[in-house]
Amino acid sequence: MKQRHVTVLGAGVMGTSIAALAVGHGLPVTLVDVDRAVLERARDEVTRHLRLARLMGVQTGTDVAELRTTVELADVADADVVVEAVTELADVKAKVLAEISALIGPEALVLTNTSAIPVDELAGAVAHPERTVGAHFMNPPYLIKTVEVIRGPRSSAAALAVARDFLASMGREVVVVGDGPGFVINRVLQRMINEAARIADEGLATPEEIDLLFTGCLGHRTGPLATADLIGLDNVVDSLRVLRDRTGDQGYEPSALLLAKVADGDFGRKTGRGFYEHRGTK
Amino acid sequence: MSSSTTNQHILSPGSICGKLTAFLERQTKRDIEPDLDIFAAGLVSSLFALELVVHIESTFDVAIGGPDLRLDNFRTVDRMTELVLRLRGESDD
Ligand SMILES: NC(=O)c1ccc[n+]([C@@H]2O[C@H](COP(=O)([O-])OP(=O)(O)OC[C@H]3O[C@@H](n4cnc5c(N)ncnc54)[C@H](O)[C@@H]3O)[C@@H](O)[C@H]2O)c1
């Protein structure tokens, strides 16, 4: 079979790390963003991800495939697999998915890395809803092997098979789940982060103490607030709003502390400060 | 990368070890023995590993790549010191 050509939409935290996973497994990638400045930094980000992957022993191959970047969707009309990783705003995703699906071939697979928007809602925007599947990569996707795959009610068995094969070709393991706001992971994780932020805000415990309980008592690799800093607090707030709007559950209403940090531009690791200070990293 | 002094002076194993220990103690707010495996002890995350590499490169003016870029070289202050000495020895004069 010919080499799949991968297009990644959105060159942010996830787009660059998904691109690194793919090129590291020999699949050529074109990374698309609307922001040229973001694309300029993206190349260095991908290199940084590949270095970390190598350091951790998960990037052993030496042939890294080509990475291209563009702001023009028309450049990626030949994609075999599109991985959508743009900002977690339903209208932004629907628009870019509608545009890309009008350009690519009917056989191309569209994977969305949405954190919480139901796959079927996004499938409603594309030309071939049966070719749309959810692939919720964890952060960073090259260090965490397991991917939450979401089969929407209109996702075809054939598309799901291609998704499995594509993810397996990058050494990933999948768990296929049903569709719904936040799927499995984020229906629970976003709520956990929000409650942890409320607890910190109420002064019951510091972020360090909260995280220490989750790592020390529950065996989590990192606690909820360190996880939130890794995800990006802006993305956490967007995901919470998606969940609140689609479930009506006020428990997903973003906590005041999260909103204040986002208003201050403290998004976590990507800006250098969130619940923690991140000197050294960006 | 920092452009350090052109007159690169010789660093003793003790001073490399001391700088690394001070950096790690600042990061972890814990006492670090030179033979402690900081990853196995859960003091730092895998994401920190790359920060550590970048810090070592800029502090000691070395480039770490190829087969040296593996976690085993960064598990303890002793091993990092060995790596820095080797890389500085090879790159100097
Ligand atoms: N951050 C995480 O840990 C994480 C984990 C799993 C899934 N996700 C999901 O992945 C997606 C991306 O998240 P992120 O954290 O990388 O966000 P991010 O804010 O870091 O990056 C999003 C990027 O999308 C770009 N973008 C916006 N509109 C675009 C368009 N129309 N075309 C092309 N690019 C566009 C933005 O310029 C930005 O660079 C979101 O759906 C998020 O919920 C995030």
Side-chain angles (χ1 to χ4, degrees), chain A residues 196-232:
Chain A
R198 283 204 183 99
I199 290 167
D201 204 11
E202 289 165 15
L204 301 187
T206 63
E208 288 84 353
E209 288 163 343
I210 293 167
D211 283 347
L212 201 53
L213 287 167
F214 278 81
T215 54
C217 301
L218 298 181
H220 290 200
R221 251 185 291 202
T222 50
L225 297 177
T227 302
D229 271 10
L230 174 65
I231 293 171

Side-chain angles (χ1 to χ4, degrees), chain A residues 12-14 33 85-88 93 113 115 136-137 139 231 235:
Chain A
V13 171
M14 291 306 289
D33 206 286
V86 306
T87 319
E88 185 74 0
K93 284 191 189 286
N113 186 49
S115 293
H136 181 221
F137 289 91
N139 178 4
I231 293 171
N235 182 229

Side-chain angles (χ1 to χ4, degrees), chain A residues 48 51-52 55-56 279 281, chain B residues 46 49-51 57 64 71:
Chain A
R48 206 180 58 81
R51 259 194 122 193
L52 178 56
L55 181 61
M56 298 310 295
R279 282 170 302 117
T281 41
Chain B
S46 49
L50 192 61
E51 281 176 54
E57 288 185 324
I64 302 168
L71 196 63

Side-chain angles (χ1 to χ4, degrees), chain A residues 228-229 231-234 261-263 265-271 273-274:
Chain A
D229 271 10
I231 293 171
L233 304 186
D234 52 339
K261 288 190 183 294
V262 171
D266 292 335
F267 295 173
R269 265 179 187 271
K270 62 180 156 186
T271 61
R273 184 190 296 149

